[in-house]
């Protein structure tokens, strides 16, 4: 039986020692921290990816080096499973254990334990595709990753500098190539062709939309956006802004989807470019989040976040399913988190099933898989639409009885091609939004008027021990510290339509938010002399 190449791994591992004073944790976003501290982690992830591939009979695993919307000095690394989905939860623990082995000898022992406990057949091939974003720390970390591949003898394919969603697409396309479930050509060209061709089919006969300004966050979305422009041709005009990918410190700095969502205003660099009545959108640093907005006729800024995108898209898909005559066979559902604006939840719940799950893409994605067509978007603009395999089979075999049904059916089929179903994808989601706006003849004003957001506020409270806070009911209610939830409920009852929850942040009506924040600060033993002035009694 094959054995681990211990001498090879030892030699490479000695060149990538773990910092003795740091602990690393694999979470929803993988490993993410200062890019200068990740050398050993990324090297070890290279080996872990190879072992994951061997465990899955040589299926290709993805590795993405990115820190998404984080500041430029940060970086991160995450693994992608064969269907383009996030790493299986049990392997997050394996990743954390390997990353924190203090020495090379301890790392080798941890590897042997993993091979033994996970029953990995080392004679199987190991295949990985990998990529990175535009961060300055990226090339050195890729070098460490490649050392991990060499140490284990992994067959690795370099995806270059590209977006996280494209890397997810490549993983699924590679693993489904030549099968009945082929996801598309396994290349960037295949990705752009798939998106652009389906978009063009979906907007045939519709009025050409006004040019769309895209804030690329000075990140890798600028590279992908420039390529998409060429594939779209005359069908749609994109105006790319914040494309300075080589300017030090520019990535996500006062721009990008996270800036817009957090600050609820235009990126300063767009102020001179946008005119009243014009719409625009922002990507984040690795182009997996999307935030829309527009200026009304008075030049007032209006944000259209992930909740607004979910309502727009879900309502459109429900309408198409009904027009196709498939509403008895195909059920559409929406998945949200507690961070969703209550007005969006009310609007959606009056029209289709809505499920609330804990924060984190893996929870949303998994819940969405239980619907025939599952729509999920976090308020931060990360989300997608999932069509079950059974639903795609129904669409492929269904015989419409009228021209209207045939048209709606073709639209649904083209949506399955336009939407990147592996993960939230800002460029794919942007084209999806534009399709719906074209079909409904909506401007930003009409879209925004579907429902009015309830006033809300996120407030961060620094506490001595964040682990003391335990939640239930999809993070909407506190279990611990004991008695705190009852006190929050008492505060909430004073405000009509009020809602509040404690996770890492607090969301509710603005005044209520600061009262709850003050309550939590006090109950958690916060220093009265350092109590933030904005926290109300």
């Amino acid at each position: 039986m094959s054995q681990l190449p211990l001498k090879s791994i030892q030699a490479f591992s000695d060149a990538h020692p773990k910092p003795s004073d740091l602990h690393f944790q694999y979470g929803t976003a993988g490993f993410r921290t200062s890019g200068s501290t990740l050398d050993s982690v990324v090297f070890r992830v290279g080996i872990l990816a190879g072992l994951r591939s061997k465990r899955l009979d040589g299926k290709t695993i993805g590795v993405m080096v990115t820190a998404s919307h984080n500041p430029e000095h940060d970086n991160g690394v995450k693994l992608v499973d064969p269907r383009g989905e996030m790493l299986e939860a049990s392997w997050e623990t394996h990743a954390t254990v390997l990353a924190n082995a203090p020495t090379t000898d301890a790392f080798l022992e941890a590897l042997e334990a993993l091979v033994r406990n996970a029953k990995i057949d080392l004679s199987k091939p190991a295949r990985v595709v990998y990529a990175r974003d535009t961060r300055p720390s990226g090339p050195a970390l890729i070098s460490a990753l490649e050392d991990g591949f060499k140490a284990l003898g992994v067959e690795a394919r370099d995806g270059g500098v590209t977006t996280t969603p494209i890397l997810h697409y490549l993983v699924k396309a590679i693993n489904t190539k030549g099968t009945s479930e082929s996801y598309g050509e396994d290349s960037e060209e295949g990705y752009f062709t798939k998106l652009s061709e389906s978009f063009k089919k979906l907007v045939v006969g519709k009025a050409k939309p006004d040019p769309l300004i895209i804030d690329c966050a000075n990140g890798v979305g600028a590279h992908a956006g420039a390529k998409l422009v060429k594939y779209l041709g005359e069908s749609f005009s994109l105006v790319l802004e914040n494309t300075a990918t080589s300017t030090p410190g520019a990535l996500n700095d006062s721009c990008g989807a996270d800036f817009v969502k957090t600050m609820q205003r235009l990126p300063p660099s767009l102020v001179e470019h946008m005119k009243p009545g014009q719409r625009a959108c922002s990507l984040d640093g690795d182009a997996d989040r999307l935030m829309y907005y527009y200026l009304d006729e008075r030049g007032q800024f209006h944000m259209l976040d992930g909740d607004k995108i979910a309502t727009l898209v879900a309502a459109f898909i429900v309408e198409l399913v009904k027009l196709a005559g498939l509403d008895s066979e195909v059920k559409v559902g929406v998945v949200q988190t507690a961070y969703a604006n209550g007005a969006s939840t009310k609007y959606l719940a009056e029209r289709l099933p809505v499920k609330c799950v804990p924060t984190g893409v893996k929870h949303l994605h998994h819940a969405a898989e239980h619907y025939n067509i599952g729509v999920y978007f976090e308020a931060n603009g990360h989300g997608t639409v999932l069509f079950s395999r059974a639903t795609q089979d129904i669409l492929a075999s269904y015989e419409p009885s009228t021209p209207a049904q045939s048209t709606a059916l073709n639209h649904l089929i083209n949506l399955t091609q336009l939407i990147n179903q592996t993960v939230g994808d800002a460029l794919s989601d942007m084209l999806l939004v534009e399709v719906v706006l074209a079909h409904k003849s909506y401007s930003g004003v009409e879209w925004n008027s579907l429902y009015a957001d309830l006033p809300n506020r996120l407030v961060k409270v620094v506490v001595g021990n964040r682990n003391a806070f335990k939640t239930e009911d999809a993070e909407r209610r506190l279990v611990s510290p004991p008695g705190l939830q009852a006190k929050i409920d008492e505060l909430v009852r004073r405000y009509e339509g009020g809602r509040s929850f404690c996770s890492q942040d607090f969301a509710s009506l603005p005044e209520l938010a600061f009262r709850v924040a003050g309550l939590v600060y006090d109950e958690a033993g916060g220093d009265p002399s350092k109590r933030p002035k904005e926290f109300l009694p």
Side-chain angles (χ1 to χ4, degrees):
M1 185 174 178
S2 297
Q3 301 291 319
L4 282 169
L6 295 179
K7 288 186 178 180
S8 173
I9 295 174
Q10 181 175 21
F12 279 105
S13 181
D14 286 343
H16 300 280
K18 177 191 176 294
S20 60
D21 58 334
L22 297 178
H23 178 83
F24 302 101
Q25 181 70 41
Y26 194 104
T28 299
F31 293 109
R32 188 174 293 181
T33 185
S34 172
S36 63
T37 67
L38 280 169
D39 179 80
S40 65
V41 172
V42 176
F43 162 73
R44 294 175 182 193
V45 164
I47 294 175
L48 179 67
L51 292 176
R52 178 69 175 156
S53 176
K54 287 177 179 287
R55 179 64 182 82
L56 298 177
D57 294 324
K59 286 205 173 353
T60 296
I61 299 298
V63 177
M64 185 70 197
V65 175
T66 181
S68 189
H69 56 281
N70 279 35
E72 186 174 286
H73 58 77
D74 284 348
N75 216 323
V77 61
K78 67 175 184 177
L79 285 85
V80 180
D81 263 353
R83 292 188 301 127
E85 75 275 41
M86 300 178 71
L87 178 67
E88 181 185 308
S90 65
W91 277 66
E92 293 180 6
T93 302
H94 300 322
T96 299
V97 169
L98 292 181
N100 290 293
T103 64
T104 290
D105 287 344
F107 177 53
L108 294 176
E109 289 178 13
L111 284 175
E112 290 182 311
L114 171 58
V115 170
R116 183 171 60 252
N117 295 333
K119 298 180 173 57
I120 298 172
D121 183 350
L122 294 173
S123 68
K124 298 288 186 178
R127 301 186 179 98
V128 176
V129 58
Y130 62 102
R132 68 175 177 90
D133 67 12
T134 56
R135 292 166 192 273
S137 58
L141 292 178
I142 287 293
S143 179
L145 180 70
E146 291 170 341
D147 278 357
F149 296 153
K150 294 171 189 172
L152 190 67
V154 173
E155 179 186 327
R157 170 177 164 181
D158 185 358
V161 177
T162 195
T163 71
T164 293
I166 290 177
L167 188 276
H168 282 255
Y169 167 88
L170 288 175
V171 172
K172 185 167 185 176
I174 291 168
N175 285 306
T176 58
K177 192 173 184 175
T179 73
S180 60
E181 297 183 11
S182 175
Y183 195 59
E185 181 189 326
D186 60 323
S187 65
E188 265 201 355
E189 293 73 21
Y191 167 87
F192 287 117
T193 298
K194 184 178 181 183
L195 263 61
S196 60
E197 291 304 312
S198 54
F199 175 80
K200 291 173 185 177
K201 291 175 184 176
L202 282 159
V203 296
V204 165
K206 305 298 177 183
K208 184 178 177 180
D210 294 332
L212 176 69
I213 293 176
I214 302 182
D215 159 25
C216 299
N218 296 313
V220 71
H223 295 181
K227 294 175 183 176
L228 181 59
V229 166
K230 297 178 181 177
Y231 280 86
L232 290 173
E234 296 297 314
S235 66
F236 188 27
S237 298
L238 306 178
V239 181
L240 306 183
E241 300 289 349
N242 294 326
T243 59
T245 58
S246 59
T247 300
L251 176 65
N252 294 322
D253 183 29
S254 297
C255 61
D258 196 55
F259 173 87
V260 172
K261 177 61 176 172
T262 303
M263 304 305 294
Q264 300 194 19
R265 61 184 174 89
L266 277 181
S269 53
L270 294 193
V271 171
E272 299 298 321
H273 296 278
M274 285 192 67
K275 300 178 178 61
Q278 195 166 17
R279 76 197 186 292
C281 66
S282 288
L283 321 179
D284 69 338
D286 65 340
D288 67 352
R289 292 187 184 187
L290 177 70
M291 199 64 54
Y292 260 80
Y293 40 92
Y294 68 95
L295 298 182
D296 63 23
E297 293 306 320
R298 295 173 299 147
Q300 184 76 28
F301 171 84
H302 297 271
M303 183 173 69
L304 298 156
D305 63 5
D307 295 338
K308 291 284 186 178
I309 295 172
T311 55
L312 180 77
V313 169
F316 180 63
I317 292 175
V318 167
E319 183 180 305
L320 287 180
V321 168
K322 187 173 183 179
L323 287 172
L326 286 167
D327 45 322
S328 63
E329 297 179 67
V330 177
K331 302 301 179 183
V332 184
V334 176
V335 185
Q336 294 185 318
T337 72
Y339 286 93
N341 192 280
S344 73
T345 306
K346 182 176 184 295
Y347 177 90
L348 288 165
E350 291 171 351
R351 293 161 175 79
L352 69 168
V354 179
K355 183 176 179 60
C356 184
V357 299
T359 307
V361 177
K362 60 186 175 185
H363 299 299
L364 290 131
H365 196 95
H366 179 70
E369 289 179 320
H370 289 86
Y371 294 111
N372 301 137
I373 302 177
V375 180
Y376 76 84
F377 277 87
E378 294 180 282
N380 63 26
H382 184 282
T384 188
V385 182
L386 306 182
F387 292 76
S388 71
R389 171 47 52 186
T391 298
Q392 293 186 59
D393 290 342
I394 289 172
L395 296 179
S397 60
Y398 180 63
E399 295 184 4
S401 56
T402 67
Q405 286 187 351
S406 179
T407 298
L409 175 66
N410 285 329
H411 289 336
L412 286 167
I413 291 171
N414 284 320
L415 285 180
T416 68
Q417 301 301 300
L418 177 67
I419 297 165
N420 186 349
Q421 298 181 51
T422 64
V423 72
D425 182 338
L427 293 177
S428 168
D429 292 338
M430 176 267 293
L431 293 177
L432 172 60
V433 166
E434 292 298 327
V435 164
V436 183
L437 295 180
H439 277 254
K440 306 298 290 184
S441 298
Y442 283 171
S443 67
V445 176
E446 284 84 17
W447 175 11
N448 198 29
S449 67
L450 291 177
Y451 67 86
D453 275 329
L454 293 171
N456 63 92
R457 182 66 59 90
L458 302 179
V459 182
K460 182 176 182 179
V461 180
V462 178
V463 297
N465 179 16
R466 63 183 298 174
N467 295 321
F469 291 79
K470 307 294 182 185
T471 63
E472 63 180 3
D473 188 21
E475 300 178 339
R476 289 179 289 190
R477 296 190 63 79
L478 274 177
V479 176
S480 175
L484 181 54
Q485 184 62 53
K487 294 179 179 179
I488 293 174
D489 291 342
E490 177 59 34
L491 278 176
V492 170
R493 277 193 287 271
R494 302 179 195 174
Y495 298 84
E496 184 178 353
R499 182 172 72 95
S500 181
F501 70 95
C502 298
S503 178
Q504 293 176 9
D505 301 280
F506 307 87
S508 58
L509 296 166
E511 181 184 325
L512 174 58
F514 289 116
R515 291 197 185 281
V516 172
L519 173 64
V520 171
Y521 184 87
D522 297 340
E523 292 289 325
D527 184 346
S529 67
K530 297 180 180 178
R531 193 181 197 271
K533 294 179 180 178
E534 64 269 24
F535 288 4
L536 299 174

